[in-house]
Amino acid sequence: MDTQTTQQMELQHSEIKVKLKLATLWTSFMFLYIYIDYFHLYMPNTLANILKARVFVFDITQVFLLIALVSVTIPAIMIALSAILPVKINRCLNIGIAIIYIPYTLFNLAGESWIHMFFGAFVEVVLLSLIIFNAFDWKRNEKYNSKIG
C-alpha cells in the first residue's frame, strides 16, 4: 500500500458538539428510565398491587399518574431542548434538571431489593452526572473542539 492509501484507511476521530452529547445522554437516560419501569412489572406482586391501585406506598390516582407522566416528560423533552436551546439557557437547564433527577432516581430505590433496580439506578446516576459534567464544562469543550476541527 502506498502512503496515500494508508492515510485514507486511518480512523478519523471527530469531535461531537456538546448539544449532541447532551441530547444523546438524555436519550440513553430515557431508554433506561422506561425499561427499568417496564422490567419492574415482572417483579412479584407488582401487577397485583397495580390492580389494587397501589404503587409502593402511593395510591394510584389522577394526581399520581400526572406526576408520573411529568417525571417522564421532562427528560424526554430535554432530548429536544438540549439540541435546540441557546447555550446559556441550555447549560443551566441541563445542570439543574440533572441535579434534581439524581435524588429522584435514588428515591425510587426505596423499598427495593432487586439487583436490576440498583444497577439501573447506578447507570442513570452516571448518565445524569455526565450530563452535569458536559453542561458545566461546555465552554472549555467548545474551545477545544474548535481548535481541533
Side-chain angles (χ1 to χ4, degrees), residues 18-124:
V18 176
K19 284 185 174 189
L20 183 56
K21 284 182 188 179
L22 293 171
T24 304
L25 287 165
W26 280 113
T27 303
S28 297
F29 176 82
M30 275 305 302
F31 272 111
L32 199 55
Y33 192 60
I34 296 297
Y35 273 106
I36 289 170
D37 282 351
Y38 175 74
F39 290 145
H40 191 272
L41 295 174
Y42 289 95
M43 293 170 58
N45 300 321
T46 300
L47 293 178
N49 287 334
I50 290 171
L51 291 174
K52 293 177 191 172
R54 298 282 293 169
V55 171
F56 185 49
V57 296
F58 304 106
D59 291 329
I60 299 174
T61 63
Q62 288 189 41
V63 172
F64 173 84
L65 292 175
L66 178 62
I67 292 168
L69 182 60
V70 168
S71 78
V72 173
T73 302
I74 291 169
I77 290 173
M78 284 307 296
I79 297 167
L81 293 179
S82 294
I84 62 176
L85 285 177
V87 173
K88 193 175 242 182
I89 296 168
N90 205 332
R91 184 174 188 252
C92 292
L93 203 56
N94 272 282
I95 291 170
I97 291 175
I99 285 172
I100 291 168
Y101 267 79
I102 289 174
Y104 180 78
T105 297
L106 297 174
F107 169 77
N108 283 329
L109 289 176
E112 295 298 339
S113 61
W114 287 57
I115 193 73
H116 80 281
M117 298 294 288
F118 288 96
F119 175 75
F122 171 77
V123 176
E124 284 180 345

